Amino acid sequence: MKNHVWRPLYIALCIIALVLIARMVIVPKDFGIWERGYMYGWHRKGNEADWKAVKVKYRTAAYCKDCHPDKYNDLKQSPHANIMCENCHGPALGHPEDPRTMTIDRHRELCIRCHSRLPYKASGRGAIRGIDPQTHNPELECTVCHYPHNPKREVKR
Amino acid sequence: MITRRSFCKKALLIAGGLAVPLSALELFDPKRLLAEKDSPEKVRWGFLVDTYKCVGCGFCVKACKTENEVPYDANVTRTWVERYVITRNGKTWIDSPKGARDGFTTRKVALGEGNFQDIKDEDIEKAFFVPKLCNQCDNPPCVQVCPVGATYQTADGVVLVDRTWCIGCGYCIMGCPYGVRFFHPVYHVAEKCNFCYHRLAKGMKTACVDACPFGARRIGNLKDPDDPVTQIIMTERVSVLKEEYGTKPQVFYLGLTKEVK
């Protein structure tokens, strides 16, 4: 048979072989079909571990308990008991080594997230005692008069 | 000498052979198919949102953005809270300024572009808040449309994105009926809520669940019949978003109304 018929075929086969070799090199070993099957489980398995390795930043109130028992106990006996410390103080991450101190946010914006009165009876918001931030002592920070860790109590100075 | 007949035969054979993808040569493993059918996995994460309890404080959004390193001032977020105000004349007002990162502190409804709608108290028929996040669907359309296998579902039902593998084509962002996907402003790849997969792996709850002071957000294992969240989903009147799409969302809601989309 004549050579010129086969030559393009050899070239095509070489290209296919090259693509397959490149694919073997580029595609990671753990790339394949995993638990969720052909439709949803087609991925690189190692990525699951990558996501699991992300650093935890919010450590929840149980972490603060031992070092700040006064604040912890105040808060837990107050109407604010369910608010996580880090909602108001930012993520603890490496505290107290890094950062040494945590942010103390005295802005009125922090408190009016819940306490700006909205007449929404169909939601929990309607049940929280609200104030109108425009008229309720607008020139002062809330913490001047209210103790954030237990708003039922007088502010001690 | 090549005949016309044998040339056609061989050409067809080669063309046909080239058309067979390599994966088709892989044999079906009945054991694996069985495993896919009733998976031995003991965990399937599900989520319960109680819209009666949500007060729109936005601490969940704040915590989510910080925990998952989504740039705080970029106008994208993995989870957000929507406010619905339905007035007596039948109008529905919906807003979610900055995804409610700073909570809802005014009764003015944001219309966008710096415009606000004042609604009088006596005009309000009902008003409430609806937190939104990825539904971790059982039939995730975003996974099906990915051309490179960069987004996928894990055995416990969470849909993840492989940042090293994503080519940034954006098909999944268009494919999600719930609009929960966006481009990460730093990595420029698809980004979405992943139920704080790193926290679940350490036995913790998601950042938004921990941040919620009112129990409006809860996460549980749907495969454990004794899990309190599973019990509520099994025994109470829960609903899901856009059920008609057939995506089988695994985020369940208490207290939705027909206005919520």
Side-chain angles (χ1 to χ4, degrees), chain B residues 12-24:
Chain B
L12 276 176
L13 205 67
I14 289 164
L18 288 177
V20 177
L22 229 58
S23 56

Side-chain angles (χ1 to χ4, degrees), chain A residues 113-114 116-128, chain B residues 51-57 82-87 93-95 103-110 117-130:
Chain A
R113 278 170 175 261
C114 296
S116 167
R117 185 184 296 119
L118 298 178
Y120 299 167
K121 287 190 219 64
S123 81
R125 183 64 167 259
I128 296 181
Chain B
T51 60
Y52 293 109
K53 290 184 176 153
C54 181
V55 307
C57 68
E82 290 170 0
R83 162 165 63 183
Y84 286 75
V85 180
I86 295 141
T87 48
W93 303 90
I94 309 172
D95 74 341
F104 291 91
T105 54
T106 147
R107 27 189 105 178
K108 292 196 179 86
V109 175
Q117 174 70 34
D118 229 341
I119 298 172
K120 286 206 219 69
D121 288 7
E122 56 273 21
D123 289 342
I124 297 176
E125 194 160 77
K126 56 186 168 190
F128 51 90
F129 302 98
V130 180

Side-chain angles (χ1 to χ4, degrees), chain B:
Chain B
M1 187 53 204
I2 190 163
T3 64
R4 184 191 296 253
R5 174 177 289 264
S6 81
F7 175 79
C8 289
K9 249 169 140 178
K10 280 177 181 150
L12 276 176
L13 205 67
I14 289 164
L18 288 177
V20 177
L22 229 58
S23 56
L25 300 177
E26 192 183 359
L27 287 178
F28 279 90
D29 181 351
K31 261 208 220 99
R32 186 159 83 199
L33 285 182
L34 197 69
E36 274 170 26
K37 208 168 119 264
D38 33 30
S39 116
E41 187 69 28
K42 297 239 167 16
V43 182
R44 200 323 175 182
W45 296 111
F47 208 91
L48 179 66
V49 179
D50 188 340
T51 60
Y52 293 109
K53 290 184 176 153
C54 181
V55 307
C57 68
F59 277 142
C60 50
V61 181
K62 180 185 177 192
C64 174
K65 291 194 98 166
T66 318
E67 179 75 27
N68 293 299
E69 295 166 39
V70 175
Y72 201 64
D73 291 317
N75 199 12
V76 288
T77 169
R78 288 178 171 200
T79 185
W80 68 98
V81 182
E82 290 170 0
R83 162 165 63 183
Y84 286 75
V85 180
I86 295 141
T87 48
R88 293 206 190 281
N89 58 12
K91 270 213 172 107
T92 305
W93 303 90
I94 309 172
D95 74 341
S96 183
K98 289 187 191 157
R101 184 195 79 182
D102 302 326
F104 291 91
T105 54
T106 147
R107 27 189 105 178
K108 292 196 179 86
V109 175
L111 303 174
E113 290 160 4
N115 299 320
F116 292 91
Q117 174 70 34
D118 229 341
I119 298 172
K120 286 206 219 69
D121 288 7
E122 56 273 21
D123 289 342
I124 297 176
E125 194 160 77
K126 56 186 168 190
F128 51 90
F129 302 98
V130 180
K132 296 257 179 97
L133 70 162
C134 173
N135 286 288
Q136 317 290 359
C137 306
D138 250 355
N139 292 333
C142 55
V143 174
Q144 285 188 37
V145 299
C146 181
V148 295
T151 185
Y152 58 94
Q153 193 160 41
T154 61
D156 46 15
V158 179
V159 175
L160 299 177
V161 180
D162 186 340
R163 280 187 182 158
T164 61
W165 215 240
C166 177
I167 56 172
C169 69
Y171 287 175
C172 55
I173 297 172
M174 305 302 286
C176 175
Y178 306 98
V180 304
R181 283 176 174 253
F182 56 93
F183 276 118
H184 194 290
V186 177
Y187 302 106
H188 305 294
V189 294
E191 174 79 1
K192 69 182 281 296
C193 157
N194 59 10
F195 277 1
C196 287
Y197 207 56
H198 57 297
R199 293 173 72 91
L200 294 181
K202 293 175 182 72
M204 305 175 77
K205 296 195 171 101
T206 69
C208 59
V209 170
D210 278 334
C212 181
F214 303 100
R217 290 175 177 253
R218 300 172 74 182
I219 188 163
N221 176 8
L222 298 178
K223 291 231 170 119
D224 175 6
D226 298 326
D227 190 298
V229 172
T230 309
Q231 294 219 318
I232 293 175
I233 291 169
M234 309 266 274
T235 58
E236 290 187 29
R237 284 162 291 175
V238 294
S239 50
V240 294
L241 295 170
K242 297 185 183 165
E243 189 171 12
E244 66 278 13
Y245 282 59
T247 51
K248 296 199 189 144
Q250 302 298 304
V251 174
F252 297 87
Y253 284 85
L254 283 164
L256 287 192
T257 70
K258 66 179 193 314
E259 287 87 5
V260 181
K261 285 180 219 88

